[in-house]
Amino acid sequence: MNITQFIQKLDSLKFDMFQKDFLLTWEKTRDEIDAVFAVADALRTLRDNNVSARIFDSGLAVSLFRDNSTRTRFSFSSAANLLGLAVQDLDEGKSQIAHGETVRETANMVSFMSDVIGIRDDMYIGKGNTYMREVAQAVQQGFEEGVLPRRPTLVNLQCDIDHPTQSMADMLHIIHHFGGVENLKGKKIAMTWAYSPSYGKPLSVPQGIVGLMTRFGMEVSLAHPEGYNIMSDVEKVAAKNAAENGGKFSKTYSMAEAFADADIVYPKSWAPYEAMEKRTVLYGNGDDAGIKALEKELLAQNANHKDWECTEELMKTTKDGKALYMHCLPADITGVSCKEGEVAASVFDRYRTDTYREAGFKPYIIAAMMFLSTCKDPQATLKMLAYKKLPRLI
Amino acid sequence: MNITQFIQKLDSLKFDMFQKDFLLTWEKTRDEIDAVFAVADALRTLRDNNVSARIFDSGLAVSLFRDNSTRTRFSFSSAANLLGLAVQDLDEGKSQIAHGETVRETANMVSFMSDVIGIRDDMYIGKGNTYMREVAQAVQQGFEEGVLPRRPTLVNLQCDIDHPTQSMADMLHIIHHFGGVENLKGKKIAMTWAYSPSYGKPLSVPQGIVGLMTRFGMEVSLAHPEGYNIMSDVEKVAAKNAAENGGKFSKTYSMAEAFADADIVYPKSWAPYEAMEKRTVLYGNGDDAGIKALEKELLAQNANHKDWECTEELMKTTKDGKALYMHCLPADITGVSCKEGEVAASVFDRYRTDTYREAGFKPYIIAAMMFLSTCKDPQATLKMLAYKKLPRLI
Amino acid sequence: MNITQFIQKLDSLKFDMFQKDFLLTWEKTRDEIDAVFAVADALRTLRDNNVSARIFDSGLAVSLFRDNSTRTRFSFSSAANLLGLAVQDLDEGKSQIAHGETVRETANMVSFMSDVIGIRDDMYIGKGNTYMREVAQAVQQGFEEGVLPRRPTLVNLQCDIDHPTQSMADMLHIIHHFGGVENLKGKKIAMTWAYSPSYGKPLSVPQGIVGLMTRFGMEVSLAHPEGYNIMSDVEKVAAKNAAENGGKFSKTYSMAEAFADADIVYPKSWAPYEAMEKRTVLYGNGDDAGIKALEKELLAQNANHKDWECTEELMKTTKDGKALYMHCLPADITGVSCKEGEVAASVFDRYRTDTYREAGFKPYIIAAMMFLSTCKDPQATLKMLAYKKLPRLI
């Protein structure tokens, strides 16, 4: 076990993350992003060596999911448990979009003894991230007014804009796969839309990917059929990132163009941004008929693009025919989970283990975000854990 | 940190709470009530100073909620977690009122490794507290017969009669607000009904307040419109308490009279006792039509009393115009959470932080009840925690 | 406290249970069965003496219940908590029978930081145990491919074939009741069907009992009305066990014959195996009408056998009229939980405490299975726990 290298890495970085939320990757400096990676790797090293990473003797991690999610729920629970926190779910019901007084009050009521709050709220454009900021403001105020002994910090577990725990886990997977962040310069990643027979998949994954991957000097190619735009604000972030970091951000309506010579491909379905906006209005008006009509329309629109599939033929066009295939899972696999889907079964089969490995970084990314927002001196704490070497399982 | 004073306080008190349930405040001596306050303050001091209050290495706290409750659920979880217990929910379904053999059996089945059982059952008059006693009897018998290695102790998280964790938290808030229990003598508290557009709010809060606050030499004024009686048995308890403790307990049909010169006001909606009794019979008979009719009737009856609102005008009539406003939350705020409600928005705004602070005592009250019922020698245990000074977050 | 004897017992046994699942008792050697009993008794001794049995500093126990189950849920939680694991539920919904890709993926996704997985899936013949093996295979593969740092081990919390945590708890109860396993030789146990007004009770209890009890030199008599067969494969296991272990396994269509001179009686309702097979097909086809028709038919069939009740008269025919009555609970008690049921109220009353005691072994059996599958050197670990003597409650 070599925790020392991760501590040295942290020593070389400037970060100010104590008592801070993690809501959007582009609100964090590159050093702060790297600090999360270093801590994630350190925590993983500890655990893989059966060394306890428990920093809390007691404390709660509040989870607020407005969408079913086995994967994210387990990642959050695992991260909390690794650090010594118990998880308490806050069940507000899916449909109910709380606001104003209710948010302020609830945020305080669940925080008297809470250290971390994880929120997943990705259903409605313009709502999820806004809600998180309302919660953050409420607990900040509660802390300043002496209501809360400590300000619990927020982790965005997916919102309408970003999915930072996913994109950061994906990036750490890429870093490990390519043998170090220094090897990413000039690598091409194709974030492309792919056909799915299901409807209304969130935009936060492609947005998170182009918002983050453009910071590492990579060439990020965003591809989708006409009409499947992502948020234009996020595209601006991506363009700015690329310009500042010596990378590229390009857009195309051709899957083939994106795949050509790519080092990494990330083919995944999503709903058009404009459609998600419409849906949010329809939900707001309780217009069930309108929602059904929109769903029908979107499925029909999707069906025009069944050729957007990650096939063996397309894979052959990537760098040496061996691009790394990525997916946040579950993937719509042609002939397996659906008749026609995002990816050919033979392609997915070859990369299945890689996608599992990719997902395996998420609990550590979440734990690192919790760690950095609750530890005043992360290096000292890591040093102590490594020195004490308390076994996780005796 | 000064735990010593709380230990000295405990030394000065006579209490017999080990292995005992906490079901009604008026079943506890005044010394026992004070012991809960002392331990709650001690546990809070420990936690605020980042000192672990964990007394259990492992163990379960069983929670049985027959009503949705974010606040109480989090308070219970927080308290359990603070002491080192994991929470396991017992989901029996809302509608099902178990009894007899089923209660006896279930109580034992969930208690093989349980240390504490928290029950919230406030829906039906004559049922909730009775159910708790059935559970208590079952685990007592299980313990005596050697089925259970330990008798888990019960905490009443709200029943049809009392809401001890609420009233005790409220009282501790009052004690802190007025700078000590010795300053409460002669203070006037107005526990008054207030208008709400919702139906069937439980009686346990006003009953808990008049049943507890009358023990501190305070003047407790209970106000409600005609027909909104609380349980007469609890009124008798309040009258007896007042007589024995140099306080007063009075009743009035005028909100203004209760507010006049009050040091504390607690305006809150509840359903008439007689209506709740009727409802219980209707539920027992599965009479859905009858329940709907009763609901309609009660909402109409409520609507006759929209003038029972805690307004700025009324607040001006309190002691120096500055009575402490209290509420168990969530409040029905006029123009915020409803068109017409219990309290004017400007009044609530001014006291919002106070109500949050009030709620913040609840986890510590629950933890103190758990602590006193599971520790044989609470002073020694507190002494040890303060001496060891294990950090809660390293 | 005498942990030494349990350690010595373990020293005398040959077992290979580290990193192994516990799916069917008859897949384990007799020594391995005895190892579970020894560890269960050791863990109980530790806890009864307020000594911590916590071997995990952090870690998750995943629970996957496809059926409501208060008892098994609490047993699993208690066992996990005793050893230091937090429980995280995997809610897949009752109706959904996952398979193939979904099982493989989910199994890995929930296992990145998981140590144990408990599964209850007893609804459909041919499905439950098969599903467990799919999960086991998936995590084994995930571990071998480096996706999982550790292979989480499975505990069968009831499937369509066996209910090992129940039968093992029942056996440990019998061992304690008769003062040692050496006293069981020649004892007669009647595992008999009994009438219940409810429909479709699983077969895993009678199958588990005849599959396990035949290994201890006992005379196992399986009794049921014609048409209420259990799985023939399990009967073969029972017959083979009896032959190899100097016991007997017999079948009869007479409750009286089974009860005659029995030392232990276990009267309990179950559904005919053939009917359960039919039901599985109907569910597979989504044939609601067929399911309802089958239910009606089965209830009518049951009603022909109301005389299969454990009465005082029958009890008098057992060894000295004092056979040990057993039940996995909840029992259908005549005149208490139903009009006509499995057992007369007076019989159940006399043995109620015994049935509670019987159930009380289950958390320790589950904990022992977890312990043996996660500790490389169980004796050394037990020795250390007993030596350290950390208090469970300080």
mmCIF file of all heavy atoms in Angstrom, chain C residues 196-219:
data_model
loop_
_atom_site.group_PDB
_atom_site.id
_atom_site.type_symbol
_atom_site.label_atom_id
_atom_site.label_comp_id
_atom_site.label_asym_id
_atom_site.label_seq_id
_atom_site.Cartn_x
_atom_site.Cartn_y
_atom_site.Cartn_z
ATOM 1 N N SER C 196 -54.780 -24.898 6.791
ATOM 2 C CA SER C 196 -54.778 -23.446 6.937
ATOM 3 C C SER C 196 -55.773 -22.869 5.946
ATOM 4 O O SER C 196 -55.902 -23.367 4.828
ATOM 5 C CB SER C 196 -53.387 -22.899 6.642
ATOM 6 O OG SER C 196 -53.480 -21.544 6.254
ATOM 7 N N PRO C 197 -56.477 -21.831 6.357
ATOM 8 C CA PRO C 197 -57.431 -21.207 5.430
ATOM 9 C C PRO C 197 -56.722 -20.336 4.393
ATOM 10 O O PRO C 197 -57.383 -19.751 3.549
ATOM 11 C CB PRO C 197 -58.316 -20.370 6.356
ATOM 12 C CG PRO C 197 -57.460 -20.071 7.544
ATOM 13 C CD PRO C 197 -56.510 -21.219 7.695
ATOM 14 N N SER C 198 -55.406 -20.223 4.455
ATOM 15 C CA SER C 198 -54.734 -19.406 3.451
ATOM 16 C C SER C 198 -54.098 -20.305 2.405
ATOM 17 O O SER C 198 -54.017 -21.518 2.563
ATOM 18 C CB SER C 198 -53.732 -18.460 4.079
ATOM 19 O OG SER C 198 -52.505 -19.090 4.234
ATOM 20 N N TYR C 199 -53.587 -19.755 1.380
ATOM 21 C CA TYR C 199 -53.297 -20.455 0.133
ATOM 22 C C TYR C 199 -51.838 -20.254 -0.299
ATOM 23 O O TYR C 199 -51.278 -19.181 -0.124
ATOM 24 C CB TYR C 199 -54.263 -19.899 -0.923
ATOM 25 C CG TYR C 199 -53.699 -19.698 -2.298
ATOM 26 C CD1 TYR C 199 -53.626 -20.740 -3.195
ATOM 27 C CD2 TYR C 199 -53.210 -18.459 -2.687
ATOM 28 C CE1 TYR C 199 -53.108 -20.554 -4.458
ATOM 29 C CE2 TYR C 199 -52.697 -18.264 -3.950
ATOM 30 C CZ TYR C 199 -52.649 -19.313 -4.832
ATOM 31 O OH TYR C 199 -52.131 -19.110 -6.060
ATOM 32 N N GLY C 200 -51.255 -21.305 -0.763
ATOM 33 C CA GLY C 200 -49.956 -21.147 -1.422
ATOM 34 C C GLY C 200 -48.776 -20.936 -0.502
ATOM 35 O O GLY C 200 -47.811 -20.282 -0.874
ATOM 36 N N LYS C 201 -48.812 -21.498 0.698
ATOM 37 C CA LYS C 201 -47.629 -21.367 1.561
ATOM 38 C C LYS C 201 -46.468 -22.157 0.962
ATOM 39 O O LYS C 201 -46.660 -23.259 0.447
ATOM 40 C CB LYS C 201 -47.957 -21.893 2.960
ATOM 41 C CG LYS C 201 -49.108 -21.107 3.602
ATOM 42 C CD LYS C 201 -48.927 -20.971 5.097
ATOM 43 C CE LYS C 201 -49.989 -20.034 5.653
ATOM 44 N NZ LYS C 201 -49.893 -19.816 7.095
ATOM 45 N N PRO C 202 -45.261 -21.609 1.075
ATOM 46 C CA PRO C 202 -44.105 -22.230 0.418
ATOM 47 C C PRO C 202 -43.758 -23.610 0.974
ATOM 48 O O PRO C 202 -44.083 -23.943 2.105
ATOM 49 C CB PRO C 202 -42.976 -21.237 0.664
ATOM 50 C CG PRO C 202 -43.463 -20.243 1.657
ATOM 51 C CD PRO C 202 -44.934 -20.335 1.734
ATOM 52 N N LEU C 203 -43.087 -24.353 0.148
ATOM 53 C CA LEU C 203 -42.691 -25.718 0.491
ATOM 54 C C LEU C 203 -41.335 -25.779 1.168
ATOM 55 O O LEU C 203 -40.908 -26.849 1.629
ATOM 56 C CB LEU C 203 -42.617 -26.543 -0.806
ATOM 57 C CG LEU C 203 -43.951 -26.776 -1.511
ATOM 58 C CD1 LEU C 203 -43.769 -26.832 -3.000
ATOM 59 C CD2 LEU C 203 -44.571 -28.047 -0.967
ATOM 60 N N SER C 204 -40.650 -24.665 1.206
ATOM 61 C CA SER C 204 -39.256 -24.693 1.636
ATOM 62 C C SER C 204 -39.096 -25.107 3.095
ATOM 63 O O SER C 204 -38.070 -25.682 3.451
ATOM 64 C CB SER C 204 -38.606 -23.327 1.403
ATOM 65 O OG SER C 204 -39.419 -22.308 1.922
ATOM 66 N N VAL C 205 -40.101 -24.862 3.939
ATOM 67 C CA VAL C 205 -39.948 -25.277 5.334
ATOM 68 C C VAL C 205 -39.995 -26.803 5.460
ATOM 69 O O VAL C 205 -39.041 -27.401 5.961
ATOM 70 C CB VAL C 205 -40.954 -24.572 6.268
ATOM 71 C CG1 VAL C 205 -40.890 -25.173 7.670
ATOM 72 C CG2 VAL C 205 -40.675 -23.076 6.333
ATOM 73 N N PRO C 206 -41.070 -27.480 5.013
ATOM 74 C CA PRO C 206 -41.037 -28.946 5.145
ATOM 75 C C PRO C 206 -39.846 -29.556 4.408
ATOM 76 O O PRO C 206 -39.233 -30.506 4.913
ATOM 77 C CB PRO C 206 -42.374 -29.397 4.535
ATOM 78 C CG PRO C 206 -42.874 -28.231 3.747
ATOM 79 C CD PRO C 206 -42.340 -27.012 4.441
ATOM 80 N N GLN C 207 -39.516 -29.039 3.241
ATOM 81 C CA GLN C 207 -38.379 -29.583 2.497
ATOM 82 C C GLN C 207 -37.078 -29.379 3.258
ATOM 83 O O GLN C 207 -36.237 -30.277 3.335
ATOM 84 C CB GLN C 207 -38.312 -28.942 1.104
ATOM 85 C CG GLN C 207 -39.470 -29.406 0.236
ATOM 86 C CD GLN C 207 -39.621 -28.682 -1.096
ATOM 87 O OE1 GLN C 207 -40.445 -29.072 -1.903
ATOM 88 N NE2 GLN C 207 -38.866 -27.627 -1.324
ATOM 89 N N GLY C 208 -36.912 -28.194 3.824
ATOM 90 C CA GLY C 208 -35.715 -27.908 4.608
ATOM 91 C C GLY C 208 -35.611 -28.829 5.815
ATOM 92 O O GLY C 208 -34.519 -29.320 6.150
ATOM 93 N N ILE C 209 -36.739 -29.084 6.449
ATOM 94 C CA ILE C 209 -36.739 -29.923 7.656
ATOM 95 C C ILE C 209 -36.364 -31.368 7.327
ATOM 96 O O ILE C 209 -35.472 -31.947 7.951
ATOM 97 C CB ILE C 209 -38.127 -29.866 8.360
ATOM 98 C CG1 ILE C 209 -38.395 -28.451 8.902
ATOM 99 C CG2 ILE C 209 -38.223 -30.906 9.480
ATOM 100 C CD1 ILE C 209 -37.437 -27.963 9.949
ATOM 101 N N VAL C 210 -37.039 -31.957 6.324
ATOM 102 C CA VAL C 210 -36.702 -33.369 6.028
ATOM 103 C C VAL C 210 -35.306 -33.490 5.434
ATOM 104 O O VAL C 210 -34.637 -34.513 5.614
ATOM 105 C CB VAL C 210 -37.747 -34.069 5.112
ATOM 106 C CG1 VAL C 210 -39.158 -33.962 5.714
ATOM 107 C CG2 VAL C 210 -37.727 -33.499 3.698
ATOM 108 N N GLY C 211 -34.853 -32.423 4.763
ATOM 109 C CA GLY C 211 -33.511 -32.451 4.172
ATOM 110 C C GLY C 211 -32.414 -32.342 5.214
ATOM 111 O O GLY C 211 -31.293 -32.811 5.009
ATOM 112 N N LEU C 212 -32.709 -31.722 6.330
ATOM 113 C CA LEU C 212 -31.677 -31.537 7.363
ATOM 114 C C LEU C 212 -31.808 -32.545 8.505
ATOM 115 O O LEU C 212 -30.816 -33.144 8.930
ATOM 116 C CB LEU C 212 -31.748 -30.112 7.933
ATOM 117 C CG LEU C 212 -30.726 -29.817 9.041
ATOM 118 C CD1 LEU C 212 -29.293 -29.901 8.525
ATOM 119 C CD2 LEU C 212 -30.980 -28.449 9.680
ATOM 120 N N MET C 213 -33.015 -32.732 9.027
ATOM 121 C CA MET C 213 -33.191 -33.535 10.235
ATOM 122 C C MET C 213 -32.797 -35.010 10.035
ATOM 123 O O MET C 213 -32.464 -35.701 11.009
ATOM 124 C CB MET C 213 -34.627 -33.446 10.761
ATOM 125 C CG MET C 213 -35.079 -32.112 11.336
ATOM 126 S SD MET C 213 -33.907 -30.721 11.343
ATOM 127 C CE MET C 213 -34.877 -29.461 12.179
ATOM 128 N N THR C 214 -32.833 -35.458 8.771
ATOM 129 C CA THR C 214 -32.448 -36.853 8.475
ATOM 130 C C THR C 214 -30.946 -37.097 8.615
ATOM 131 O O THR C 214 -30.488 -38.231 8.462
ATOM 132 C CB THR C 214 -32.886 -37.209 7.039
ATOM 133 O OG1 THR C 214 -32.576 -36.108 6.174
ATOM 134 C CG2 THR C 214 -34.376 -37.481 6.965
ATOM 135 N N ARG C 215 -30.183 -36.045 8.908
ATOM 136 C CA ARG C 215 -28.731 -36.212 9.005
ATOM 137 C C ARG C 215 -28.253 -36.476 10.415
ATOM 138 O O ARG C 215 -27.049 -36.545 10.666
ATOM 139 C CB ARG C 215 -28.028 -34.961 8.469
ATOM 140 C CG ARG C 215 -28.407 -34.703 7.014
ATOM 141 C CD ARG C 215 -27.795 -33.470 6.487
ATOM 142 N NE ARG C 215 -26.388 -33.644 6.224
ATOM 143 C CZ ARG C 215 -25.646 -32.721 5.616
ATOM 144 N NH1 ARG C 215 -26.190 -31.581 5.235
ATOM 145 N NH2 ARG C 215 -24.378 -32.938 5.399
ATOM 146 N N PHE C 216 -29.208 -36.553 11.347
ATOM 147 C CA PHE C 216 -28.798 -36.657 12.747
ATOM 148 C C PHE C 216 -29.247 -37.969 13.395
ATOM 149 O O PHE C 216 -29.389 -38.041 14.600
ATOM 150 C CB PHE C 216 -29.350 -35.457 13.518
ATOM 151 C CG PHE C 216 -28.751 -34.155 13.072
ATOM 152 C CD1 PHE C 216 -29.250 -33.489 11.959
ATOM 153 C CD2 PHE C 216 -27.649 -33.625 13.717
ATOM 154 C CE1 PHE C 216 -28.682 -32.302 11.519
ATOM 155 C CE2 PHE C 216 -27.072 -32.438 13.287
ATOM 156 C CZ PHE C 216 -27.588 -31.780 12.184
ATOM 157 N N GLY C 217 -29.488 -38.979 12.529
ATOM 158 C CA GLY C 217 -29.884 -40.274 13.077
ATOM 159 C C GLY C 217 -31.299 -40.279 13.627
ATOM 160 O O GLY C 217 -31.676 -41.167 14.395
ATOM 161 N N MET C 218 -32.076 -39.274 13.273
ATOM 162 C CA MET C 218 -33.454 -39.200 13.764
ATOM 163 C C MET C 218 -34.390 -39.962 12.828
ATOM 164 O O MET C 218 -34.060 -40.282 11.700
ATOM 165 C CB MET C 218 -33.895 -37.739 13.843
ATOM 166 C CG MET C 218 -33.090 -36.921 14.849
ATOM 167 S SD MET C 218 -33.466 -35.136 14.739
ATOM 168 C CE MET C 218 -35.006 -35.072 15.631
ATOM 169 N N GLU C 219 -35.573 -40.213 13.345
ATOM 170 C CA GLU C 219 -36.614 -40.828 12.535
ATOM 171 C C GLU C 219 -37.523 -39.701 12.066
ATOM 172 O O GLU C 219 -38.233 -39.091 12.873
ATOM 173 C CB GLU C 219 -37.386 -41.834 13.400
ATOM 174 C CG GLU C 219 -38.441 -42.573 12.620
ATOM 175 C CD GLU C 219 -39.290 -43.466 13.526
ATOM 176 O OE1 GLU C 219 -38.808 -43.811 14.647
ATOM 177 O OE2 GLU C 219 -40.424 -43.767 13.147
#
